[in-house]
Amino acid sequence: MTALTLSTAGAATLRADALVVGVAKTGKALVVAPGAEAVDKAFDGRLAAVLETLGASGGEGETTKLPAPAGLKAPVVLAVGLGSAPEDGEAYDTETLRRAAGTAARVLFGSKKVAFALPVASAEATGAVAEGALLGAYSFDAFQEQQKDAKKPPAEVALLGAKPRDKAHKAAAERAQAVAEEINRARDLVNTPPNDLTPAAFAAVAQAAGKDHGLKVQVLDEKALAKGGFGGILGVGAGSANPPRLVKVAYTHPKAEKSLALVGKGITYDSGGISLKPAGHNETMKCDMAGAAAVLAAVVSAARLGLEVNVTAWLALAENMPSGSATRPGDVLRMYSGKTVEVLNTDAEGRLVLADAITKASEEHPDAIVDVATLTGAMVLALGDRTFGVMANDDDYRTAIHEIAGEVGEQSWPMPLPADLRKSMDSPTADMANMGVRMGGGLVAGLFLQEFVGEGITWAHLDIAGPAFHEGAPYGYTPKGGTGSSVRTLVRLAELTAAGEL
């Protein structure tokens, strides 16, 4: 993991392999962003002019690398575009800074130490730059034995001008380090091949994290699940040689007045079961446990930050495979709640494991339940690859989560739960079916989950099917593969819950 420091050294005197500065656009002119004054001075005040000569425009995410002049200790200067400069008296947007830092960290793989001279006048800016740099400095090479000589991410990033003796700046950096490390834990889990991350192996990861951070972890294996009547989880895992697990990871604080339950879909591989996915749709299905990875990362973050709120993560883990013992279309499962569900499509399995976990979480009467899942392709069709959908049984809570996501730099969109779609899940054989009408399928899935929420409990559902796994080229602080989608939103939700604001 990349180390983070807040340095008191000046940009001209700090020894590093590279020095990152920001540049922005003001009309047709290029300007050097605050924080890089010493660097500009080393270029005799002509840094912007030099960059323009090299073709730099200041556009967001654009990078220009140039040799440093004699007045700097670092041999390389990397200018990263920040887009349009803010109006006088206004600060750069924190997400712009986060993405710029992430871009720079990615471009500078192979450098051991990178110094960032970006605008960090406020603690919020310090946190954004630190978070972006640490998230951008991510790589996953655990299984690449022939590429051990590939360029590595920076071993250390140093933030200049961030006031290391100021409590707010120091706290922002420490928070960024904790959250970024947990997001990268979630990314590692999502990127791990499914033959290595079975439900039992995932449960072991949760147990190890619990031991490291003082969390109480309980694992229900297949025998305990059968004894408890968890028909949804067992039904999904019935076709696999790797049996399912339900994992509870609990963080408690002695001063907590509220409790938050986070439920994550953890399908460690989703073949679709008997309703087999076609070729072209199953190659990335190791990512179908991203919701469980996100809630684990969030509860560990809450513990590391010492938040005054009780947070419990429920990881519903199973592998969805076809075999002679697999659940068939037409089978009826008796869920943990006692409801019976006719399985019309075994590839609509996530809602089945989540339903049992939501019912179990409801027994503890938390103030709110938030489930996170790569649940439906319909949500990807509706919102694209970078935006997750938010549904809830309380409009104000849905709005709050949407706003929180925007605050921390995650794209989301509030979605409805139209009551008229519920009838499409009626079954002539069971209490309900696991499928309804095709149009609005993401909303139908949300309506299904709502049936299992305990009475009087505020609940929200995040469908992260789009942004959980990025198949394109990296951008900003987002790598190819697992992204850690929704972790920042969940952590901020826990912070605001602890503060009594939700």
Side-chain angles (χ1 to χ4, degrees):
M1 174 58 69
T2 301
L4 172 69
T5 59
L6 301 185
S7 178
T8 57
T13 59
L14 182 70
R15 294 187 181 277
D17 297 299
L19 185 59
V20 178
V21 301
V23 289
K25 300 181 289 186
T26 55
K28 295 183 179 180
L30 197 66
V31 296
V32 179
E37 291 82 1
V39 182
D40 191 30
K41 183 178 179 181
F43 280 89
D44 296 325
R46 291 183 49 78
L47 177 56
V50 171
L51 290 168
E52 283 186 329
T53 301
L54 294 173
S57 68
E60 282 194 38
E62 175 190 81
T63 58
T64 307
K65 192 182 290 187
L66 60 165
L72 300 177
K73 296 291 185 182
V76 173
V77 172
L78 179 74
V80 60
L82 300 176
S84 298
E87 299 292 332
D88 290 342
E90 295 185 7
Y92 282 89
D93 176 69
T94 53
E95 178 61 8
T96 297
L97 295 175
R98 190 181 288 111
R99 290 182 180 178
T103 298
R106 286 192 298 101
V107 170
L108 292 169
F109 267 41
S111 302
K112 290 185 178 180
K113 182 176 181 178
V114 177
F116 287 79
L118 294 173
V120 287
S122 68
E124 291 77 14
T126 293
V129 172
E131 195 172 76
L134 294 171
L135 293 176
Y138 171 80
S139 67
F140 184 76
D141 58 5
F143 296 85
Q144 294 179 330
E145 295 298 332
Q146 303 302 315
Q147 299 183 38
K148 293 301 183 184
D149 295 329
K151 290 183 178 180
K152 302 293 184 182
E156 180 184 354
V157 295
L159 270 59
L160 309 181
K163 304 176 185 176
R165 295 185 180 89
D166 181 272
K167 288 184 178 180
H169 282 251
K170 185 178 179 181
E174 290 174 348
R175 180 192 184 279
Q177 179 107 44
V179 175
E181 287 179 358
E182 293 312 315
I183 290 172
N184 287 338
R185 182 203 298 274
R187 290 171 167 180
D188 283 350
L189 286 165
V190 173
N191 289 329
T192 300
N195 61 325
D196 206 67
L197 190 73
T198 62
F202 198 150
V205 171
Q207 287 175 312
K211 184 177 180 180
D212 289 342
H213 299 286
L215 305 172
K216 186 176 180 181
V217 181
Q218 179 185 11
V219 179
L220 299 183
D221 63 13
E222 66 273 28
K223 292 181 180 178
L225 291 170
K227 184 177 180 180
F230 291 85
I233 297 175
L234 288 167
V236 172
S240 174
N242 298 304
R245 298 286 187 270
L246 177 61
V247 182
K248 175 185 177 183
V249 185
Y251 161 70
T252 57
H253 192 285
K255 295 183 180 179
E257 295 183 355
K258 288 192 173 183
S259 60
L260 184 62
L262 307 176
V263 179
K265 173 187 173 183
I267 304 301
T268 56
Y269 181 74
D270 182 20
S271 70
I274 297 295
S275 306
L276 194 67
K277 293 178 184 290
H281 292 78
N282 55 18
E283 292 81 357
T284 60
M285 281 298 102
K286 65 180 182 180
C287 78
D288 215 20
M289 36 56 66
V295 301
L296 175 62
V299 72
V300 175
S301 295
R304 293 181 63 171
L305 298 174
L307 302 184
E308 294 183 8
V309 59
N310 294 334
V311 183
T312 302
W314 297 87
L315 285 57
L317 309 176
E319 189 176 65
N320 187 22
M321 297 291 286
S323 74
S325 60
T327 295
R328 297 155 291 233
D331 283 355
V332 173
L333 303 178
R334 187 172 297 278
M335 311 295 284
Y336 179 69
S337 68
K339 283 188 174 75
T340 56
V341 174
E342 182 181 10
V343 178
L344 298 181
N345 187 327
T346 63
D347 197 22
E349 84 299 329
R351 64 199 69 183
L352 298 173
V353 300
L354 286 172
D356 275 358
I358 288 170
T359 303
K360 185 64 176 175
S362 296
E363 291 179 348
E364 298 189 351
H365 306 288
D367 290 286
I369 295 174
V370 179
D371 77 72
V372 185
T374 48
L375 203 59
T376 65
M379 197 58 61
V380 185
L381 290 173
L383 300 178
D385 292 331
R386 298 190 183 184
T387 304
F388 62 77
V390 184
M391 286 159 262
N393 61 3
D394 181 296
D395 287 350
D396 290 340
Y397 200 64
R398 181 187 63 187
T399 298
I401 291 177
H402 171 55
E403 292 175 349
I404 288 167
E407 177 189 341
V408 300
E410 296 199 288
Q411 295 175 213
S412 72
W413 196 252
M415 301 294 283
L417 289 170
D420 58 283
L421 293 179
R422 169 60 184 86
K423 186 173 178 57
S424 68
M425 289 185 284
D426 285 351
S427 165
T429 307
D431 294 328
M432 62 188 304
N434 76 328
M435 292 287 290
V437 292
R438 181 169 176 267
M439 299 302 173
L443 312 182
V444 171
L447 287 165
F448 180 91
L449 296 177
Q450 185 175 226
E451 294 275 327
F452 298 88
V453 179
E455 186 176 352
I457 298 174
T458 300
W459 159 79
H461 162 56
L462 311 186
D463 190 336
I464 62 170
F469 194 83
H470 179 56
E471 296 187 65
Y475 65 93
Y477 51 81
T478 301
K480 187 179 180 69
T483 64
S485 176
S486 80
V487 175
R488 284 178 288 153
T489 298
L490 295 176
V491 173
R492 187 60 182 148
L493 177 67
E495 289 176 326
L496 293 175
T497 302
E501 297 182 33
L502 286 175

